[in-house]
């Protein structure tokens, strides 16, 4: 087993826990009709679900690293933990009556962590090498600024229209970036 494979076992467990948490709670939402559904919350669940899947896929780019450091190991584990925390903040272990209320009650933690995840992703992109970083298109670098700013504003705002526009914009970018830019559907 290579160092990369060894490290990715822990990262995969953390990412897998985040995916499991989202899927388990989506099933709960479907089964418990007494809890009020909120479409913005559901779109964030879909967004974070795909982000977790894409994260796991994109981390394969670290396979080229021969000399692993403990700092890089901690960075990648920390990065995975941010995504797990985002998935955990979307749901609650306590009884709730409305996902809308839950979403807005947790928005500060969720969106400040989301902003952090975008900044950490930018660092992660740089750590994968200068060429990899430069090969990312202008849209990637632009979205870092835009979505980080939108996240910080979302943490402070209760405006439902703003949150709707943000989740639709971010989810659209994630799907575009994941499926079209990285050609995840194409096998080579």
């Amino acid at each position: 087993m290579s160092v990369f494979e060894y490290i990715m076992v822990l990262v995969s467990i953390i990412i897998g826990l985040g995916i499991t948490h989202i899927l388990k709670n989506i099933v709960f939402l479907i089964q418990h009709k007494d809890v009020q559904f909120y479409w913005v919350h559901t779109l964030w669940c879909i967004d974070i679900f795909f982000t977790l899947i894409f994260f796991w896929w994109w981390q394969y780019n670290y396979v080229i690293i021969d000399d692993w450091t403990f700092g890089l190991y901690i960075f990648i584990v920390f990065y995975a933990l941010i995504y797990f925390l985002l998935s955990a903040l979307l749901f609650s272990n306590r009884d709730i009556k409305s996902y809308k209320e839950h979403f807005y009650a947790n928005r500060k933690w969720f969106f400040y962590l989301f902003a952090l995840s975008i900044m950490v992703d930018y660092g992660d992109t740089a750590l994968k090498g200068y060429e990899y970083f430069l090969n990312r298109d202008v849209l990637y670098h632009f979205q870092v600024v835009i979505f980080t700013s939108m996240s910080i504003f979302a943490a402070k705002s209760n405006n439902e229209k703003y949150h709707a526009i943000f989740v639709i914009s971010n989810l659209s970018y994630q799907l575009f970036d994941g499926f079209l830019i990285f050609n995840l559907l194409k096998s080579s």
Side-chain angles (χ1 to χ4, degrees), residues 110-129:
F110 181 82
F111 287 111
Y112 285 136
L113 269 175
F114 193 73
L116 179 62
S117 76
I118 295 167
M119 292 182 283
V120 170
D121 178 71
Y122 203 61
D124 179 71
T125 301
L127 285 172
K128 289 175 180 158

Side-chain angles (χ1 to χ4, degrees), residues 43-57:
L43 287 182
W44 276 114
C45 293
I46 293 167
D47 184 278
I48 298 301
F49 175 78
F50 276 106
T51 300
L52 288 162
I53 290 171
F54 294 154
F55 171 86
W56 184 83
W57 181 260

